[in-house]
């Protein structure tokens, strides 16, 4: 069993695979550059995490808040800002589609979008745009079992 | 006033020079097409330098062909000495 962080990252990537624009171009914590000609892609990253023990005794129950980023990349001509907005809309719809989606089938108590940051790169031969969609995943574990959400 | 002879630079014998076509006219530009990392997507950053006298009327959105590849002018930066730097996008 993997750490719940890993399970969350994988569950989000699975839910985002197959969207109309980004399709199978969904990556997890990718470090290397994407190949030239990548028009649309998503990268799911798990970042910092706050952990608060909320019970006394052993094992303590931990209230965890994980920062999760969905990086949306668009490299197309034309109205790139509208294309980026369309990718954002697809991600929001997929991760907010139902109670099952917002809890990742019970893995987390909630998965909420907190912020979106936009940036453009005009130096590439095809204009490139990026959106960083910052989600917060709230989940619980016990201190001796970080691989099992409770 | 000192005037540089730009013919010395805009020649196909100059390293980095490329044959180009603008508005149906054959010209020579100095061309760079270096690797560029665009938010983690492998890309190129195509930039050309051209004599202003070779590209009359050039503007953002103009078409230019360099070494057989089609580009659109995304931005122009005149150096004040008769040379334009053209930031290019693939057409």
């Amino acid at each position: 069993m993997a750490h719940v962080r890993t399970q969350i990252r994988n569950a989000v990537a699975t839910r985002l695979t197959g969207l109309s624009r980004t399709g199978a171009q969904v990556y997890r914590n990718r470090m290397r550059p994407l190949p030239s000609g990548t028009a649309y892609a998503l990268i799911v990253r798990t970042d910092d995490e706050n952990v608060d023990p909320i019970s006394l005794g052993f094992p303590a129950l931990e209230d965890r808040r994980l920062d999760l980023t969905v990086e949306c990349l668009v490299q197309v001509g034309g109205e790139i800002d509208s294309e980026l907005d369309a990718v954002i809309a697809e991600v929001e719809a997929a991760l907010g589609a139902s109670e099952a989606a917002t809890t990742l089938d019970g893995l987390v108590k909630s998965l909420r979008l907190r912020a979106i940051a936009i940036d453009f790169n005009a130096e590439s031969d095809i204009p490139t745009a990026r959106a960083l969609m910052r989600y917060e995943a709230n989940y619980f574990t016990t201190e001796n079992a970080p691989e099992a959400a409770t | 006033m000192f005037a540089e002879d730009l013919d010395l630079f805009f020649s196909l014998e100059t390293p980095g020079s490329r044959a180009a076509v603008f508005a149906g006219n054959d010209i020579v530009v100095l061309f760079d097409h270096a690797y560029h990392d665009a938010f983690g997507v492998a890309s190129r950053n195509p930039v050309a330098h051209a004599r202003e006298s070779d590209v009359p009327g050039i503007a953002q959105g103009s078409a230019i062909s360099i070494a057989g590849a089609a580009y659109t002018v995304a931005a122009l930066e005149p150096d004040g000495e008769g040379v334009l730097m053209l930031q290019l996008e693939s057409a």
Side-chain angles (χ1 to χ4, degrees), chain B residues 15 36 56 71 80-81:
Chain B
H36 178 69
Y71 294 95
E81 301 290 338

Side-chain angles (χ1 to χ4, degrees), chain A residues 5 14 52 54 105 115 140:
Chain A
R5 292 170 55 91
T14 298
D52 289 324
I54 57 170
D105 294 312
F140 291 81

Side-chain angles (χ1 to χ4, degrees), chain A residues 38-41 72-76 80 83-84 87 126-130:
Chain A
T38 302
Y40 299 92
C72 310
L73 293 165
V74 175
Q75 191 174 65
V76 297
I80 191 169
E83 284 300 303
L84 185 63
V87 170
I126 304 172
T128 309
R130 176 178 69 181

